[in-house]
Amino acid sequence: MKRATDKTFAWAMTLLGVIALALCIFMAVHAMNGTHMIGCSAGSSCDSVMNSRWSSLFGLIPVSLPAAGLYLAFLLCSVAGAVSDDEELRIMARNCMIAIVGAVLAASIWFIALQLFAVHDFCRYCMATHTVGIIISIVVIIRYFNDRKSRMWLAGGGFAGVVFAVIQLLTAPSSVYDAGSVEEPLPAVSGMDEPLIGNPDAEHVVEILFDYQCSHCRTMHPWLEEIAEDGNVAFVLCPSPLSPSCNPYIPRDVEDRFVGSCDLARLALAVWTVDHDKFYEFDHWLFGYGSDSWLPRPVDEAREKAAYLIGETRLSEAMTDPWIDSYLSLVFELFGRTTSEGHSGIPRLISGQKWLVPEAGSAEELRQLLEQIL
C-alpha cells in the first residue's frame, strides 16, 4: 500500500516537473534566439524582465538554462522513484529530490525578489515557473521532511541556491544594453523646435524615446541632464507612449499596461507649445523629481497640474495643436523602425541610424554605453 502511494506521489511530482521544465526550455530557447515570447511584446512586463541584467548568469547564460537542468534532474529522480523497485535507488532518488527542491525554493525566492525590488516588473512565464517550483518544494518538504538526514539534504540544496544567487549578484553586469542599427536613414529631429535637454548646438544630438509611466525611463531621466552639462551631447525628448491606443507599433491583442500614457505625452507636448520653461517643470513633476518614491501620475491629476502651469484655456487650445500629432507620428516612426523581434525596449537612445536601449546604474555608466552609438 505504501509503495503504491509512493508511486502515485512520484508520478504527480513528475507531472509538475514536466510543466516546470517545459516553461524553462521555452524561455531559454527564446532568450538564446532573441525572440519575443507570446504576450511579451514591446512594453510588456516580461519584456522588461527578460531584457534586464538579471536575466542571465555571467551576463551570457540565460538563467532559464540552468533552471531547466535543475528540473531535468528533478524529473530523473521522480521517475526513478515511480518506476524503480530497488529500495536503495528510491532512497537515493528521494534524497536528491529533497536537495533539488531546496535549491529550487531558494532560487524561486531570489528571482521573485529581483522582479519585485530590482526590476519592478513581473514576467508571467517566470512567475508561473516559480509558482510550480514552490508548489513542488512545499509538497516534497511536507512529505519527506521528517528526519535529520532529510533536513541536511534540504539545507544542502538551499545552500546551493544561495550560492547561485551570490554568484549572480557578483557577476551580473553593472550595465547592459541592447543595440542595433537600421539600413535606411531615420527621420531627422533637429532639436530646435522640440523639447531638448542640453545645448542644441552640441556636437551630438541624440533622440531619447521614453514613456512617462516607465520606471526605467524615470530612473534614467535625471542622468540626461548630468551628461548634457559638458555641452558635447544634447537629448531631444521624444515621448513615446507604449499604449496600443495611440502607438501603432504596439500589438492591440496584449494587455495595455500603459493606459493613460498617450494622454500624459499629449499633455506634456501641449505645455511645451505654450511655455518651454513650464514644460521642463511639468516633465520633472511627471517623473517625480526629488521624490524617493514614485508612481506614474494619474491623467486627471496631470491635467490639473498642466492647467495650473499654463492656464486651462491655453491648455485646451494647445491640446488641439496639429504639431502634437505631427511630432508623435515622427516619434512613433522612430520607435517602429528601431523595433524588431526581440528588440523593443525603452528608454531608447537614437543617433543617426544607430539605436541603444541601455540599462545602467549611473550617469557615468550611461555615458560609457552612449559611446556605442556616438
Side-chain angles (χ1 to χ4, degrees), residues 2-4 6-7 77 80-95 144:
K2 182 178 183 303
R3 176 69 185 121
D6 287 343
K7 279 192 173 184
C77 293
V83 303
S84 177
D85 292 322
D86 187 328
E87 180 67 19
E88 192 172 315
L89 178 60
R90 291 203 307 272
I91 292 174
M92 183 181 299
R94 184 198 68 182
N95 291 336
Y144 293 127

Side-chain angles (χ1 to χ4, degrees), residues 101-275:
V101 299
V104 166
L105 187 58
S108 296
I109 293 172
W110 166 247
F111 284 115
I112 291 173
L114 283 177
Q115 291 177 81
L116 180 61
F117 299 110
V119 184
H120 307 294
D121 257 323
F122 290 94
C123 164
R124 66 184 68 182
Y125 294 100
C126 307
M127 291 303 297
T129 307
H130 300 327
T131 300
V132 174
I134 290 173
I135 291 173
I136 290 174
S137 302
I138 292 175
V139 172
V140 170
I141 290 171
I142 290 175
R143 183 170 181 83
Y144 293 127
F145 196 61
N146 53 11
D147 56 45
R148 183 171 178 272
K149 183 174 291 187
S150 296
R151 289 191 286 271
M152 289 179 61
W153 280 99
L154 182 67
F159 179 75
V162 171
V163 169
F164 175 90
V166 171
I167 290 174
Q168 191 184 28
L169 188 63
L170 295 176
T171 61
S174 58
S175 59
V176 296
Y177 66 91
D178 189 11
S181 61
V182 296
E183 295 182 1
E184 298 295 328
L186 292 167
V189 182
S190 66
M192 301 301 292
D193 301 318
E194 302 83 14
L196 184 82
I197 293 178
N199 185 349
D201 296 322
E203 180 181 358
H204 302 287
V205 177
V206 178
E207 295 93 14
I208 175 160
L209 276 55
F210 64 94
D211 187 302
Y212 279 116
Q213 298 194 77
C214 161
S215 59
H216 297 297
C217 303
R218 188 255 184 175
T219 299
M220 188 176 298
H221 217 63
W223 299 341
L224 305 178
E225 298 178 3
E226 187 175 336
I227 293 173
E229 286 179 356
D230 61 14
N232 293 325
V233 182
F235 299 94
V236 181
L237 299 181
C238 302
S240 182
L242 294 180
S243 171
S245 64
C246 65
N247 189 331
Y249 297 97
I250 303 296
R252 294 184 174 273
D253 58 349
V254 300
E255 177 189 1
D256 187 355
R257 297 179 53 250
F258 295 87
V259 174
S261 286
C262 299
D263 294 321
L264 294 178
R266 293 187 65 85
L267 283 169
L269 294 176
V271 173
W272 168 260
T273 63
V274 174
D275 189 319

Side-chain angles (χ1 to χ4, degrees), residues 46 60 78 102 109:
C46 58
L60 298 171
S78 60
I109 293 172

